[in-house]
């Protein structure tokens, strides 16, 4: 199966890029939206995701890889929500802001922009490559 790409939002004052880097591997849990949880369930080891700081910054700050998939959210006592483990790959050279993505017609169809409250969104390979060009300038 081909590698898939994602965007995962986290509030940096709760769990930010620096926290993940310090840990080396983190559990992505606490997602309580059905579509976002389905995206977590669809992830496979080796998939990559943009790490997006929501609330504060509102920008893509790094890239992570899915290191474990198919987990049950440890913060869910009923065991019905999904989780994955992620490892940092690298910080992006230049953060890509929400404002920049919204203003770019090439990104108009991004799931994250169309469903702005979605905390875990799929990213097409074309959008992934394009965002990387913006982040690595």
């Amino acid at each position: 199966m081909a590698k898939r790409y994602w965007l995962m939002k986290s509030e940096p004052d709760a769990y930010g890029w620096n926290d993940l880097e310090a840990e080396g591997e983190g559990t992505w849990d606490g997602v309580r939206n059905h579509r976002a949880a389905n995206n977590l369930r669809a992830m496979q080891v080796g998939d990559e995701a943009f790490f997006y700081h929501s609330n504060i910054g509102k920008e893509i700050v790094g890239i992570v890889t899915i290191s474990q998939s198919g987990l049950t959210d440890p913060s869910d006592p009923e065991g019905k929500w999904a989780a994955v483990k992620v490892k940092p790959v690298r910080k992006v050279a230049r953060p890509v802001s929400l404002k920049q993505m919204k203003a770019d017609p090439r990104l108009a169809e991004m799931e994250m922009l169309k469903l702005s409250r979605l905390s875990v969104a799929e990213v097409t390979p074309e959008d992934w490559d394009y965002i990387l060009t913006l982040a690595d300038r």
Side-chain angles (χ1 to χ4, degrees), residues 56-117:
I56 302 166
K58 296 184 181 180
E59 60 191 3
I60 293 170
V61 296
I63 298 170
V64 300
T65 187
I66 308 307
S67 56
Q68 289 185 45
S69 61
L71 304 176
T72 300
D73 187 333
S75 70
D76 173 20
E78 296 177 25
K80 64 180 183 177
W81 294 101
V84 296
K85 286 193 181 271
V86 299
K87 289 184 177 179
V89 173
R90 67 177 173 91
K91 200 171 188 175
V92 296
R94 180 174 172 259
V96 180
S97 71
L98 176 61
K99 183 178 180 181
Q100 183 180 359
M101 288 186 281
K102 281 183 171 181
D104 194 320
R106 286 186 62 177
L107 299 173
E109 296 302 311
M110 273 188 77
E111 184 176 45
M112 178 254 200
L113 297 178
K114 292 178 103 173
L115 302 169
S116 63
R117 306 236 349 123

Side-chain angles (χ1 to χ4, degrees), residues 5-9 49-50 52 60 110 112 119-121 123:
Y5 301 98
W6 310 92
L7 183 141
M8 303 170 84
K9 295 180 182 179
F50 289 123
Y52 177 90
I60 293 170
M110 273 188 77
M112 178 254 200
S119 62
V120 179
V123 176

